Amino acid sequence: MTVPAAGAAAGATPTVGTNAIFGPDTRVPVSPTTTFPARATVRLTFPGGQCTGFMISERTVATAGHCVHSGGSSGVWRTNIVAYPGHDGTTAPFGSCAAVRLFAPSGWTGSIYASTPADPAYDYGAVQLNCAIGTRTGWLGLGYPSQPVTGSCTSTQGYPIDRSGQWASKDVIRAESTSFLYVRHPLVGGQEGSPVFYTPDPDDWCPTPPRLVIPCPCPPPPDCVCPTPAVLGILARGPYGTGPGATNNIVTRITAPVVNNFMQWR
């Protein structure tokens, strides 16, 4: 489902799930934010709140679904979204772009013909911008594993509301399901929509790297060289429900259908 951003209804700060920090807060500041992938990590602001996103093309930002639509058939689209790639807490080294179109799957927005709740498995979306800022920042690749990834190490970075600037953390995937990955990356409001990715580390700190299927076109152009980091999922919500989701933060998993949607929204 898509809607012109200018015609959307007003939205407030996302309130999906409960944010959580398990044990010590392991977030570290990202500086400078002009390096990759920090410059392709985006602070998204809108009236009453903010989220994180990440560039997936020269003018499209991927994020959590509830960052663009509050969810369900009775939900509303957010308005006046502005994207600041690589914001360092004080300045926007790449400037800003305004949203012109918002996207989310119908599984998140619900049916327009019935009272349908949002399905957490579809908590992802995208923001199309009014300028091609990604030509300056680059963008992240999308990948989905071809084998189980529990035990694999991941990184994430985003914009929490309790701290200024961009912050990153590392953690192991604690469990997985068809639609979700479960992690203990610290999650505070504003970090929803952050990319969760595996990046080969020169110190080989991660003993279980996932095998990835990374679709083309591979950014950035013109060479189609499958990039790292590749985003495995989108940090979406704190502990929720039963099972592993009750004791971990929840990541919307990148799958082939999710990639197909993002490719259409690019």
Side-chain angles (χ1 to χ4, degrees), residues 223-238:
D223 297 324
C224 190
V225 178
C226 289
T228 55
V231 178
L232 305 179
I234 299 172
L235 194 60
R237 63 175 64 196

Side-chain angles (χ1 to χ4, degrees), residues 36-37 153 155 170 197-207 209 228-229:
F36 189 84
C153 297
S155 300
K170 295 181 179 181
F197 50 83
Y198 167 76
T199 306
D201 188 280
D203 296 328
D204 197 25
W205 73 280
C206 183
T228 55

Side-chain angles (χ1 to χ4, degrees), residues 30-103:
V30 177
S31 182
T33 57
T34 52
T35 59
F36 189 84
R39 65 175 181 253
T41 304
V42 181
R43 182 185 179 209
L44 293 172
T45 66
F46 46 83
Q50 72 174 45
C51 279
T52 299
F54 54 98
M55 302 300 302
I56 57 171
S57 76
E58 67 273 10
R59 62 175 67 247
T60 305
V61 180
T63 187
H66 66 270
C67 293
V68 297
H69 186 278
S70 58
S73 56
S74 61
V76 294
W77 293 93
R78 307 206 182 274
T79 57
N80 301 318
I81 296 177
V82 180
Y84 301 89
H87 199 284
D88 65 8
T90 303
T91 62
F94 300 96
S96 65
C97 299
V100 293
R101 187 166 297 238
L102 307 178
F103 303 91

Side-chain angles (χ1 to χ4, degrees), residues 7-223:
T13 303
T15 56
V16 174
T18 302
N19 300 338
I21 296 176
F22 300 91
D25 190 338
T26 58
R27 291 174 294 173
V28 296
V30 177
S31 182
T33 57
T34 52
T35 59
F36 189 84
R39 65 175 181 253
T41 304
V42 181
R43 182 185 179 209
L44 293 172
T45 66
F46 46 83
Q50 72 174 45
C51 279
T52 299
F54 54 98
M55 302 300 302
I56 57 171
S57 76
E58 67 273 10
R59 62 175 67 247
T60 305
V61 180
T63 187
H66 66 270
C67 293
V68 297
H69 186 278
S70 58
S73 56
S74 61
V76 294
W77 293 93
R78 307 206 182 274
T79 57
N80 301 318
I81 296 177
V82 180
Y84 301 89
H87 199 284
D88 65 8
T90 303
T91 62
F94 300 96
S96 65
C97 299
V100 293
R101 187 166 297 238
L102 307 178
F103 303 91
S106 58
W108 180 255
T109 60
S111 169
I112 61 174
Y113 302 108
S115 178
T116 308
D119 184 338
Y122 295 92
D123 191 1
Y124 65 93
V127 180
Q128 188 179 91
L129 305 175
N130 66 351
C131 63
I133 201 167
T135 58
R136 299 173 58 203
T137 64
W139 54 88
L140 293 170
L142 299 171
Y144 49 94
S146 58
Q147 65 177 11
V149 295
T150 298
S152 297
C153 297
T154 58
S155 300
T156 188
Q157 49 204 77
Y159 291 93
I161 59 174
D162 66 330
R163 297 180 176 183
S164 178
Q166 190 179 131
W167 292 75
S169 65
K170 295 181 179 181
D171 189 57
V172 175
I173 296 175
R174 311 302 176 113
E176 63 188 293
S177 65
T178 302
S179 300
F180 305 108
L181 303 174
Y182 302 96
V183 299
R184 292 197 169 185
H185 288 288
L187 173 59
V188 172
Q191 289 179 265
E192 299 104 316
S194 297
V196 175
F197 50 83
Y198 167 76
T199 306
D201 188 280
D203 296 328
D204 197 25
W205 73 280
C206 183
T208 315
R211 295 175 185 171
L212 300 178
V213 176
I214 304 177
C216 282
C218 297
D223 297 324

